Amino acid sequence: MRAAVVGASGYAGGEILRLLIEHPGIEIGALTAASSAGTPLGRIHPHLVPLADRTVVETTPEAVTDHDVVFLALPHGHSAALVDRLPADVLVIDCGADFRLADDAAWTAYYDTPYAGQWPYGLPELALADGGVQRTRLLGARRIAVPGCYPTAVSLALAPGLAAGVLEPDDLTVVAASGTSGAGKGLKAHLLGSEVMGAMSPYGVGGVHRHTPEIEQNLSLAAGADVRVSFTPTLAPMPRGILATCTARLASGAGVEQVRAAWEQRYAGETFVHLLPEGVWPSTASVVGSNSALIQVAVDDRVGRVIAIAAIDNLTKGTAGAAVQCLNLAAGWDETIGLPVAGVAP
């Protein structure tokens, strides 16, 4: 398949290209951007050596319509206008938020562009209340919305317990730390090295972070009932990674064995989601550059709460890796093609 990457100059676009370079089923076609148009890719992403001489072109429908698959790595609210001008048979995989939410009121409350509708949601391992998983809804799809990075980590951490009924759905709290690349490549004073090094800071406090409705949507699908989440993101002094610490009240009658069994059964056989051995805790350093999510779960008997922790690379499993995983499912290929399971260390 011939693939175009729209927004190739950003972190997400660069990560998609890093993975596509090694994908045996993909020929990389047009690389497009806005202000970077006319620039050799090697000046923007010097690590993408095989593509260094390729020139980024202006983003237009004409630049990408003759491709089999188009990856969109655009700012939120910018995908819908382009998609409307692409043929229906082109596989479009959007890494922005434009088509993730089912509820137009939820979109309007958190975003400042018109609601564009919902596409099949690209988190294959998401546990559903009926015992199924989201993967079946992606097979053969022509339009796919890639999840946000925080929702990926939080959903993979909590959904098995909600689907199994071992967590109470009315008292969920999440505190998650992200690396600075989650804010994109644009220059921002609070993301300068001198501001970030040696510091951690909260942001989006009080339920105002844009990923809140997406997290609630996913966990409601897992629980089979409406779920509300208290979500507090924090900025960590690292370029990549998310560590999501999630807690919930233990359901009446559930014990330690039932809790662990819920996660073991859900993720048994999954290539990219790994429940760690008891007593081993996820670390962002272990997933750098990989499409893997590391999960651990424990019960705090003293207060009757379950703690589920997930670590992912926000640019790989949280964005570009998910996009390629969805490509594989939509194209009918092996889901794991072109995707690294092992991280990079040290």
Side-chain angles (χ1 to χ4, degrees):
M1 298 176 73
R2 190 162 181 259
V5 176
V6 177
S9 60
Y11 287 137
E15 187 75 350
I16 291 169
L17 289 171
R18 181 179 75 87
L19 298 175
L20 293 183
I21 286 170
E22 301 296 331
H23 196 299
I26 290 296
E27 173 195 345
I28 298 174
L31 313 179
T32 85
S35 61
S36 300
T39 305
L41 190 72
R43 295 185 186 175
I44 304 168
H45 297 302
H47 64 296
L48 300 179
V49 175
L51 301 174
D53 294 334
R54 297 281 297 275
T55 299
V56 177
V57 301
E58 182 182 356
T59 298
T60 64
E62 293 74 23
V64 299
T65 50
D66 61 343
H67 293 69
D68 302 298
V69 55
V70 176
F71 292 92
L72 303 180
L74 296 171
H76 302 316
H78 287 69
S79 296
L82 180 61
V83 169
D84 286 343
R85 300 177 62 184
L86 297 181
D89 61 342
V90 173
L91 171 57
V92 182
I93 300 176
D94 184 23
C95 293
D98 294 36
F99 301 100
R100 294 174 188 163
L101 298 181
D103 184 358
D104 59 349
W107 173 269
T108 302
Y110 284 85
Y111 296 90
D112 57 5
T113 57
Y115 178 66
Q118 186 188 34
W119 290 354
Y121 188 76
L123 185 54
E125 304 94 347
L126 177 63
L128 304 175
D130 62 6
V133 289
Q134 185 68 13
R135 175 177 288 111
T136 58
R137 303 180 182 184
L138 302 173
L139 303 175
R142 293 289 90 189
R143 299 286 191 268
I144 297 175
V146 175
C149 51
Y150 279 127
T152 295
V154 175
S155 301
L156 292 176
L158 287 174
L162 290 166
V166 298
L167 303 181
E168 295 290 354
D170 59 350
D171 184 6
L172 306 177
T173 300
V174 176
V175 177
S178 174
T180 56
S181 61
K185 203 171 185 180
L187 295 176
K188 304 175 181 70
H190 72 285
L191 297 179
L192 294 173
S194 56
E195 302 290 335
V196 173
M197 288 186 296
M200 283 195 67
S201 57
Y203 66 101
V205 179
V208 300
H209 192 280
R210 287 178 168 181
H211 284 171
T212 301
E214 186 181 343
I215 292 170
E216 292 180 342
Q217 176 176 279
N218 292 353
L219 297 183
S220 295
L221 289 172
D226 286 343
V227 166
R228 290 292 177 266
V229 176
S230 174
F231 171 51
T232 304
T234 64
L235 184 66
M238 58 186 182
R240 289 175 177 250
I242 286 178
L243 187 71
T245 301
C246 316
T247 72
R249 282 194 299 114
L250 182 65
S252 177
V256 174
E257 291 184 0
Q258 292 93 333
V259 168
R260 187 160 185 88
W263 275 260
E264 287 178 338
Q265 292 167 11
R266 168 71 286 276
Y267 294 136
E270 289 288 356
T271 300
F272 299 118
V273 184
H274 310 275
L275 179 65
L276 296 174
E278 292 187 61
V280 179
W281 296 98
S283 166
T284 56
S286 301
V287 294
V288 172
S290 81
N291 198 53
S292 292
L294 302 184
I295 311 286
Q296 187 56 280
V297 62
V299 176
D300 186 342
D301 283 321
R302 190 178 64 84
V303 295
R305 295 190 71 83
V306 176
I307 302 95
I309 298 178
I312 65 168
D313 183 324
N314 58 295
L315 291 180
T316 316
K317 181 58 175 171
T319 308
V324 174
Q325 193 174 348
C326 290
L327 159 71
N328 291 338
L329 287 166
W333 296 334
D334 185 315
E335 187 174 340
T336 66
I337 291 177
L339 292 169
V341 177
V344 177

